[in-house]
Amino acid sequence: MQLLMFYILGFGAVLSALLLVTSKKPVNAAMSLIATMFCLAGLYVLLDAHLVAVLQILVYAGAVMVLFLFVIMLLNIQEKEGRLAGSTIALQFVSILGVGMVFVIAASLVKVRGALPTGGELFPFGTTKAVGSMLFTEYLLPFEIASMLLLAAIVGAVILAKRRISDAKP
Amino acid sequence: MLTWSLGFLILMVKLGAVLLFLLLAAAYLVWLERKFLARLQVRYGPNRAGKYGLLQPIADMIKMLTKEDTIPEGADRVIFLLAPAVVTVTALLMFAVIPFGGDLSFLGKRIPMVIADLNIGLLFVFALSSLGVYGIALGGWASNSKYSLLGGIRGAAQMISYELSLGLSLVPVVMLAGSFSLVDIVRAQEAYPFILVQPLAFVIFVISAMAESKRIPFDLPEAENELGAGYHTEYSGIRFGLFFLGEYVNMQVLGALVAVLFLGGWSGPFLSGPAWFCIKILVVALVMIWIRGTLPRLRYDQLMALGWKVLIPLALVNIVVTGAVILI
């Protein structure tokens, strides 16, 4: 059952990722990306990482992608002029598959399978408790640095936006 | 095998009961809103179909189901057809984690009165409510109409802004209960409901929740006098009905969340758990209708200023104060 779910979700993630890079309409591409996020969230649930799964949907599908859509709608980005030639699409597919294969081969070379705990001995790395205690003990410094980085980005965005308003006024 | 199929049967019965109740309650919530609003405005409200207009929801339902389902020219067909369903489905799915009562014992088995008691229940609700934005934004965009697009963009901006204060206002509740599970949050309120210790969080939550469900002081995405009907201007028939249904199911979700998070959920004297729960939802819904009949619509800049400059800072202060009190 779990294996079946894994294959369904994995197939869905790969398929929607392919649709993302091949669709010509920006909105359709954004929707495909949302579908990819959902499939990844499903994979996290299979790993018992419920918190990570919900945060994946909440942050990426729910917030980041809404902003993407917002920009697409505001700028009214239209379908790209002219059709992509069949050979271009084929080339895209081949290159994506090629890159994917390189990753798979590299992963099997470093024997990821042996390093990961299998089946029943999975430690609960994605539950609320595990993530919380890890975030505030072992990874406290990176966590704080990341928050400072985000704060700097917010301040920078505000300054850029403000300057344009004051420029336009006189 | 027997226990598995029994569990499956119980799950299906629970799903069916909740779905039936929600849809019926949504229909009669419309009736209640129209009747109560009419009373507030010294009118009669619907009184033609049946006694006190009680058959009005059924008449409306038949009307919506039989009307022509039009798709405007130049609309993005797939997204246009999909968007209303997103609104309704996300609203209905939220009820999966909301507990209606304490445990029930049946044939010696303990049956919890909740469809799924997830240990991340509250985050699940937030995730779904953040997905509800897509129905509004995409529905408005796909209609290929200026009014709809404006409504959709307004809706997306408003819901993103108020989601933040909605989430932040509930952090103190989670801190007090020590769990994201809605069942545990209700259990933590056995001594006293959280509204007594978290009045500020309660006020912030109710305001943001009303903005999140686009009820009247915050109904800019569908402001009739500026935008026609906003994001659902181009919808007709049952697709419009799905938007409408989503809005009223959302109202029930908010009532249920307020009841679970601040009013002690299903607990109360004399009556059974589900009865108390329904009463609490009804009271919250009536207050929301009352507010609708009292307050005028906000201006767009007022809406954004209220969300970003008042509610979010207040919610952050509330988190710090609650944390300090818990530590002491």
Side-chain angles (χ1 to χ4, degrees), chain A residues 2 43-49 113 115-127 130:
Chain A
Q2 264 200 332
L43 289 177
Y44 289 138
V45 170
L46 285 184
L47 290 171
D48 280 333
R113 286 198 62 161
L116 277 180
T118 50
E121 58 201 85
L122 260 179
F123 61 103
F125 71 96
T127 57

Side-chain angles (χ1 to χ4, degrees), chain B residues 234-250:
Chain B
E234 305 293 336
Y235 281 91
S236 70
I238 192 61
R239 290 190 200 281
F240 169 75
L242 281 178
F243 272 127
F244 205 61
L245 182 68
E247 193 183 323
Y248 281 87
V249 173
N250 241 325

Side-chain angles (χ1 to χ4, degrees), chain B residues 97-99 117 121-122 125 180-186 257 260-261:
Chain B
V97 291
I98 291 174
D117 179 18
L122 200 55
V125 171
F180 276 123
S181 156
L182 294 177
V183 177
D184 289 347
I185 290 177
V186 173
L257 279 180
V260 164
L261 298 167

Side-chain angles (χ1 to χ4, degrees), chain B:
Chain B
M1 190 61 204
L2 193 68
T3 46
W4 187 85
S5 45
L6 190 65
F8 187 73
L9 192 72
I10 290 171
L11 185 66
M12 282 296 133
V13 168
K14 277 199 278 196
L15 276 174
V18 168
L19 203 59
L20 197 71
F21 176 79
L22 280 181
L23 296 181
L24 210 67
Y28 275 90
L29 203 58
V30 179
W31 175 83
L32 184 73
E33 168 147 32
R34 289 177 66 182
K35 214 60 183 168
F36 187 41
L37 203 61
R39 280 289 151 197
L40 291 174
Q41 298 166 344
V42 205
R43 296 184 284 119
Y44 284 116
N47 62 355
R48 296 290 122 176
K51 202 157 173 67
Y52 307 116
L54 271 173
L55 297 178
Q56 190 67 39
I58 296 164
D60 284 342
M61 210 145 61
I62 293 170
K63 181 190 77 178
M64 276 176 189
L65 283 171
T66 50
K67 276 212 171 180
E68 190 190 351
D69 181 18
T70 54
I71 301 174
E73 211 169 295
D76 191 312
R77 282 186 70 94
V78 179
I79 298 178
F80 183 82
L81 298 181
L82 212 64
V86 172
V87 174
T88 317
V89 167
T90 50
L92 284 172
L93 271 178
M94 283 186 219
F95 268 93
V97 291
I98 291 174
F100 300 96
D103 290 348
L104 210 70
S105 55
F106 177 71
L107 293 178
K109 273 180 69 116
R110 222 168 46 83
I111 303 172
M113 293 271 274
V114 52
I115 293 171
D117 179 18
L118 300 183
N119 55 6
I120 40 144
L122 200 55
L123 288 174
F124 179 80
V125 171
F126 281 139
L128 284 171
S129 94
S130 68
L131 291 178
V133 184
Y134 285 114
I136 312 290
L138 289 174
W141 176 82
S143 302
N144 194 30
S145 142
K146 288 180 181 61
Y147 294 133
S148 300
L149 182 64
L150 278 171
I153 288 176
R154 277 186 184 187
Q158 175 176 335
M159 288 170 86
I160 295 173
S161 309
Y162 278 86
E163 221 165 71
L164 294 174
S165 49
L166 194 75
L168 288 175
S169 73
L170 292 183
V171 172
V173 172
V174 175
M175 283 156 78
L176 286 176
S179 170
F180 276 123
S181 156
L182 294 177
V183 177
D184 289 347
I185 290 177
V186 173
R187 293 250 159 79
Q189 297 178 66
E190 257 159 13
Y192 47 84
F194 281 157
I195 185 174
L196 296 178
V197 281
Q198 286 292 341
L200 185 62
F202 174 73
V203 172
I204 298 171
F205 178 76
V206 170
I207 294 176
S208 337
M210 274 168 53
E212 191 73 4
S213 64
K214 306 173 288 300
R215 303 258 328 150
I216 248 185
F218 306 101
D219 71 334
L220 287 118
E222 43 187 296
E224 301 90 345
N225 34 15
E226 311 161 24
L227 296 181
Y231 58 90
H232 56 58
T233 307
E234 305 293 336
Y235 281 91
S236 70
I238 192 61
R239 290 190 200 281
F240 169 75
L242 281 178
F243 272 127
F244 205 61
L245 182 68
E247 193 183 323
Y248 281 87
V249 173
N250 241 325
M251 216 167 133
Q252 295 176 56
V253 169
L254 296 178
L257 279 180
V258 170
V260 164
L261 298 167
F262 293 104
L263 304 179
W266 65 76
S267 41
F270 308 124
L271 294 170
S272 67
W276 265 113
F277 196 65
C278 289
I279 290 171
K280 285 170 181 171
I281 293 181
L282 195 66
V283 169
V284 176
L286 281 175
V287 170
M288 281 167 71
I289 299 168
W290 185 12
I291 292 173
R292 176 184 170 172
T294 312
L295 294 177
R297 183 182 300 134
L298 268 75
R299 239 178 25 234
Y300 196 71
D301 58 320
Q302 290 172 333
L303 175 91
M304 285 296 156
L306 177 69
W308 287 99
K309 294 182 186 164
V310 180
L311 293 183
I312 291 178
L314 272 181
L316 287 173
V317 169
N318 197 24
I319 292 173
V320 173
V321 170
T322 310
V325 169
I326 288 176
L327 277 182
I328 294 165

